[in-house]
Amino acid sequence: MASFDAVIDVRSPAEFAEDHAPGAINLPVLSNAERAEVGTIYVQQSRFLARKVGAAYIARNVADHLQTALVEQPGSFRPLIYCWRGGQRSYAMATILAQVGWRTTVLAGGYKTWRRHVSARLYDEPLPFRLVLLDGYTGSGKTEVLQRLADRGQQIIDLEGLAAHRGSLFGALTGQPQPGQKLFESQLLVALEALDPARPVIVEAESSKIGERMTPPAVWQAMTAAPRLELTASPQARAGYLVRAYGDIVRDRAALDEALRRLPTWPGRKRLEAWSQLADAGDFEALALDLMALHYDPAYRRSSGRDARPSLGAVDLGGLQPADLDAAADEIARRVEALSSA
């Protein structure tokens, strides 16, 4: 795909939003409503009428793209075009663009070709990377340390960033919905294929689901066998960090109350009232400490007690201030580099 000047997805905006090939732009030849209308005519009336109505829509839409999105393209423009399965929609667009004088190519099999590639790599084949997991109690700064490691030239995969979720009960990002499962997987594969299999890849330890997105089997299997580095900090430091990191939840009282009601273990009416009073008083560190003691820390202890993955030791993050996170990232980078040369 990199050899083309543009990858053009001619499917409807709804299809494109669900998933698309990496770097593709959406120039639909049928809108969502037009596609639904043509499909209804095809089923309820006739194939001929559906093709005639569809052709009229396609001609108008391609003309619009020529006068807007494609108007500045030079004569040397080389687009790759695809639709659902490399059929009528992509060939209609390709035919018109070829008549303009551009060298157009249709992706054989369309989007389904890309999807088969994603499925093969993330579901059927073993992951060709050595993973190292960043583990630790909730609030130990794993995500920020991961980003600092990337700044230091280490290879990382930010699963939470790709899934648009912080991986906990309070992890939803305000105003940012999660991508669909297929789009999450496409973005993940693009990130993986940019990495060097000869070097370790650092990943934050996650459960098999990040919010509503499932970690694909090949990645999850590699994670279950990967050695782990544990980040440690005091409960008080972690509580302060959580208040800073989850500032959007702290500021959104309705979202906070809803998340508290979704705890897997019902805390009881009195405890919920006590938490509400802490929130009313603005004492979110005390609330975080209580949540850690009741829910997050026991869950982590149960999980780590059953964890058979090899340990690479622990790294203390002190007070979880920026300098502490930098020092931890430096130490982890040294350990990973030593692992690379071993």
Side-chain angles (χ1 to χ4, degrees):
M1 291 183 178
S3 65
F4 294 91
D5 296 322
V7 178
I8 300 176
D9 185 324
V10 302
R11 298 175 303 155
S12 67
E15 293 172 289
F16 183 83
E18 181 183 15
D19 187 28
H20 50 266
I25 60 173
N26 188 210
L27 300 182
V29 297
L30 292 174
S31 69
N32 296 333
E34 290 163 352
R35 178 171 175 258
E37 179 188 349
V38 170
T40 300
I41 293 171
Y42 185 94
V43 172
Q44 297 182 358
Q45 298 183 54
S46 74
R47 179 180 180 182
F48 171 76
L49 182 57
R51 288 169 67 96
K52 186 169 67 170
V53 171
Y57 284 140
I58 288 171
R60 284 196 289 268
N61 290 329
V62 174
D64 181 65
H65 297 321
L66 286 168
Q67 294 170 333
T68 55
L70 301 175
V71 69
E72 299 293 336
Q73 294 298 341
S76 59
F77 182 54
R78 293 182 62 244
L80 175 67
I81 299 169
Y82 73 88
C83 60
W84 175 250
R85 58 168 66 90
Q88 292 175 353
R89 286 185 289 176
S90 55
Y91 276 102
M93 171 76 110
T95 298
I96 296 172
L97 298 195
Q99 290 301 309
V100 171
W102 291 322
R103 288 192 296 161
T104 62
T105 302
V106 172
L107 176 63
Y111 162 79
K112 294 184 74 174
T113 295
W114 166 250
R115 182 59 196 169
R116 282 193 296 270
H117 173 63
V118 174
S119 296
R121 292 296 307 277
L122 297 182
Y123 283 75
D124 303 330
E125 302 171 7
L127 203 67
F129 297 102
R130 293 180 296 160
L131 301 187
V132 175
L133 300 184
L134 289 187
D135 206 356
Y137 284 98
T138 295
S140 54
K142 297 184 288 293
T143 300
E144 283 204 46
V145 170
L146 190 69
Q147 296 304 323
R148 281 168 164 76
L149 286 165
D151 294 339
R152 286 158 173 76
Q154 298 297 314
Q155 295 196 131
I156 73 159
I157 288 293
D158 183 3
L159 292 172
E160 292 186 0
L162 293 170
H165 198 280
R166 288 168 294 205
S168 71
L169 186 67
F170 299 87
L173 300 177
T174 302
Q176 184 178 354
Q178 288 192 264
Q181 181 69 30
K182 291 180 179 178
L183 184 55
F184 167 58
E185 291 173 2
S186 287
Q187 294 169 340
L188 173 57
L189 182 57
V190 170
L192 286 168
E193 290 187 334
L195 301 177
D196 180 0
R199 299 175 55 211
V201 178
I202 307 168
V203 181
E204 186 175 343
E206 304 281 357
S207 65
S208 59
K209 288 185 70 176
I210 306 170
E212 295 301 319
R213 301 288 77 85
M214 182 192 76
T215 304
V219 178
W220 179 244
Q221 289 166 13
M223 291 173 67
T224 59
R228 60 192 185 97
L229 269 164
E230 185 175 18
L231 306 185
T232 62
S234 70
Q236 194 66 49
R238 291 191 288 122
Y241 177 82
L242 285 171
V243 173
R244 297 192 299 273
Y246 287 77
D248 56 330
I249 297 294
V250 168
R251 292 187 294 271
D252 188 341
R253 183 58 185 277
L256 174 63
D257 290 342
E258 175 60 26
L260 291 174
R261 285 192 290 269
R262 294 199 311 271
L263 281 169
T265 302
W266 173 245
R269 182 176 56 80
K270 288 185 178 180
R271 192 180 296 273
L272 280 175
E273 289 177 353
W275 287 344
S276 180
Q277 291 171 4
L278 288 173
D280 289 340
D283 195 352
F284 294 104
E285 286 195 22
L287 175 56
L289 280 167
D290 220 17
L291 282 166
M292 287 158 45
L294 175 74
H295 173 62
Y296 286 106
D297 289 4
Y300 178 76
R301 285 192 290 269
R302 288 193 298 271
S303 174
S304 59
R306 300 189 298 266
D307 201 329
R309 292 174 292 196
S311 172
L312 298 176
V315 176
D316 184 70
L317 281 89
L320 281 163
Q321 297 301 313
D324 301 315
L325 298 172
D326 285 334
D330 289 336
E331 173 61 22
I332 293 167
R334 283 193 291 270
R335 296 194 193 185
V336 172
E337 290 295 339
L339 187 67
S340 300
S341 57

